[in-house]
Amino acid sequence: MQGSVDVGHLVDRHPKVTPDRLIAQLTPPPTFADVSFDTYLPDAAEPTQAAAVQVCRQFCAQAVERRAGKKKLFGRREVLPGVGLYLDGGFGVGKTHLLASSYYELPEPKAFATFGELTQLASVFGFVECIELLSDYVVVCIDEFELDDPGNTTLISRLLSQLVERGVSVAATSNTLPEQLGEGRFAAQDFLREINTLAAIFTTVRIDGPDYRHRDLPAAPEPLSDNEVATRAARTPGATLDDFDALCAHLATMHPSRYLTLIEGVSEVFITGVHGIDDQNVALRLVSLTDRLYDAGIPVVASGSKMDAVFSEEMLAGGFRKKYLRATSRLLALTAAGQTGRTIT
């Protein structure tokens, strides 16, 4: 049995993210570091999954052709617009697996970012500088495409439109069709032009199927007691132990783009006193942290409420419903891994 170790706390960490670090982390998360089209296993009962693999392969071939341009006289090449691919589907059908596989299939330079990382990149470097930074890329892959406010709608619409015009291809995943982005979150009709511009960039591919994270998993693990959580944390090298409310308050002190650095080097996250949330801002920050934990494959062990009861029924009925459902799905996988030792995939 392992002896007791000094337990760190996420609330004691105050990460900084430099511009160079932002660029360096534009790669698929660790849980998708070794994926490929060949390792994607389509469900035989869901033909859209096998079809999506073929479309992704075609997209990669087209992206290379578009980046090369069209040969003209005197050895010059005409810049051709990039192509767009939009993988739409429910939770856990393998969209990120296919997106990461597309990234690995394509040559450098290329980028893989969450939607939040992309908006942060634009805010750090500036809109014009961000376009110049990415304009020579073969592809920009965007995981979990979200448009949560009018500013992001306009920013990302213009950014992607100009990148595509310069020959950059764009692949994205989401649980919402492009023409429906922003519905229920703000006055989408006021930004219809921007949303339609985004929709025009992409060819949408629907992927159906059940959430693979719930296969062979219980609905939600029974939470441990506070003492059990603290005892296990003390026996786990590289673990962190935090009170739920204190952790949520700490997340509010930094931009979500820093959450990846916040959990860097952590082996397992232990949390006491988990309870339901009724504050939208707190909930969205928890969603962002959950995404980073899931991407990094870091298990979670918690006391208090079950993880499928964190987001209120009112929230699950609101405009961020799909985001909260995705987070719940991932929290269940993280806590199941924490209690059973299963690998997070």
Side-chain angles (χ1 to χ4, degrees), residues 16-343:
K16 304 294 183 182
V17 182
T18 65
D20 288 343
R21 173 63 188 269
L22 279 176
I23 297 173
Q25 68 188 36
L26 297 181
T27 59
T31 47
F32 296 95
D34 300 315
V35 302
S36 67
F37 292 131
D38 291 336
T39 62
Y40 181 81
L41 303 177
D43 187 336
E46 301 290 348
T48 58
Q49 295 187 9
V53 175
Q54 297 307 312
V55 174
C56 287
R57 290 184 184 274
Q58 294 169 6
F59 166 81
C60 290
Q62 292 175 330
V64 171
E65 293 175 359
R66 291 284 170 159
R67 182 72 279 175
K70 183 178 180 181
K71 186 176 292 185
K72 299 179 69 176
L73 294 175
F74 309 112
R76 295 181 179 178
R77 287 187 175 273
E78 176 186 356
V79 175
L80 297 176
V83 290
L85 176 64
Y86 195 94
L87 302 176
D88 175 73
F91 315 107
V93 296
K95 300 186 303 296
T96 302
H97 185 134
L98 291 176
L99 186 69
S101 298
S102 299
Y103 171 90
Y104 290 125
E105 186 80 4
L106 288 164
E108 298 280 358
K110 54 190 175 182
F112 186 107
T114 64
F115 184 80
E117 287 171 338
L118 187 62
T119 55
Q120 176 69 356
L121 194 72
S123 66
V124 168
F125 286 95
F127 181 77
V128 174
E129 291 79 3
C130 190
I131 292 174
E132 292 300 323
L133 175 68
L134 301 174
S135 62
D136 292 329
Y137 278 42
V138 176
V139 68
V140 172
C141 299
I142 309 168
D143 197 24
E144 295 298 347
F145 204 105
E146 299 281 359
L147 292 179
D148 298 336
D149 60 59
N152 283 345
T153 303
T154 302
L155 172 68
I156 298 303
S157 172
R158 294 176 180 173
L159 177 66
L160 295 184
S161 296
Q162 294 200 30
L163 288 176
V164 168
E165 287 178 4
R166 298 187 182 205
V168 181
S169 292
V170 178
T173 72
S174 184
N175 304 304
T176 307
L177 293 172
E179 62 271 17
Q180 296 174 328
L181 287 168
E183 285 188 357
R185 304 175 191 179
F186 54 86
Q189 64 273 15
D190 294 338
F191 300 89
L192 190 59
R193 178 175 58 83
E194 285 82 0
I195 293 173
N196 285 341
T197 298
L198 283 172
I201 291 174
F202 297 108
T203 295
T204 301
V205 176
R206 177 73 187 181
I207 307 175
D208 297 311
D211 188 339
Y212 75 88
R213 288 186 289 267
H214 291 172
R215 298 172 193 170
D216 303 320
L217 286 179
E222 288 292 334
L224 303 178
S225 68
D226 288 354
N227 286 337
E228 288 172 323
V229 171
T231 298
R232 285 190 54 177
R235 295 175 178 173
T236 306
T240 59
L241 173 64
D242 291 275
D243 170 74
F244 183 68
D245 285 333
L247 177 58
C248 288
H250 187 56
L251 295 179
T253 66
M254 67 191 77
H255 189 277
S257 64
R258 298 185 184 182
Y259 292 177
L260 180 61
T261 309
L262 177 70
I263 62 172
E264 192 171 51
V266 174
S267 64
E268 199 160 351
V269 168
F270 292 81
I271 306 173
T272 58
V274 173
H275 60 79
I277 298 174
D278 55 15
D279 185 299
Q280 194 94 271
N281 292 323
V282 174
L284 290 174
R285 286 191 287 266
L286 181 61
V287 168
S288 295
L289 178 64
T290 299
D291 287 341
R292 300 291 75 76
L293 289 170
Y294 183 80
D295 287 344
I298 300 175
V300 173
V301 177
S303 65
S305 300
K306 291 184 178 181
M307 286 301 182
D308 59 359
V310 171
F311 305 109
S312 69
E313 291 297 324
E314 182 179 358
M315 287 183 170
L316 292 177
F320 293 104
R321 168 182 169 81
K322 293 181 178 180
K323 184 175 286 190
Y324 294 142
L325 288 175
R326 182 188 78 234
T328 298
S329 172
R330 291 182 167 184
L331 283 170
L332 292 179
L334 291 169
T335 52
Q339 292 206 14
T340 66
R342 293 173 62 112
T343 300

